[in-house]
Amino acid sequence: MTIDTVTTIASNALFTIIKTAAPLLLISLCVGLTVSIFQTVTSIQEQTLTFVPKVMAIFLTIMLLGHWMMNNMVGYMVSLWENFSLYIR
């Protein structure tokens, strides 16, 4: 296995991680920003107020996009296992 192969595998792994995690992170960011603006406007300084909406939004996102996220991860692992014989040379 050459350095180029290892670099390609690592690059593909990082791209798959970013592509898979992006929807959850973006939803969490948007909900957190919305709740923070709401807290600022209403002068509510409750620390736990941001937690519940974020958790609910993340659970909803996982329910909606979980199948797609799992297919991304499984597709990457299948491609790794299909090319396993090339990697051990």
Side-chain angles (χ1 to χ4, degrees):
M1 183 157 31
T2 65
I3 293 175
D4 293 334
T5 307
V6 173
T7 304
T8 302
I9 292 171
S11 167
N12 289 341
L14 288 174
F15 180 70
T16 302
I17 290 168
I18 291 170
K19 186 172 65 169
T20 304
L24 292 176
L25 295 174
L26 289 175
I27 292 295
S28 178
L29 176 76
C30 291
V31 170
L33 184 63
T34 304
V35 171
S36 294
I37 291 171
F38 175 75
Q39 281 182 322
T40 302
V41 169
T42 59
S43 298
I44 297 174
Q45 298 301 323
E46 181 64 33
Q47 295 293 328
T48 59
L49 184 62
T50 61
F51 182 72
V52 174
K54 278 187 187 179
V55 169
M56 296 301 287
I58 288 175
F59 282 153
L60 183 64
T61 305
I62 288 174
M63 287 188 335
L64 294 175
L65 298 176
H67 182 68
W68 173 78
M69 294 167 68
M70 187 60 79
N71 281 339
N72 277 341
M73 292 184 286
V74 168
Y76 179 70
M77 288 306 297
V78 166
S79 71
L80 280 180
W81 282 108
E82 284 176 350
N83 298 325
F84 188 71
S85 61
L86 299 174
Y87 302 146
I88 59 174
R89 291 185 194 188

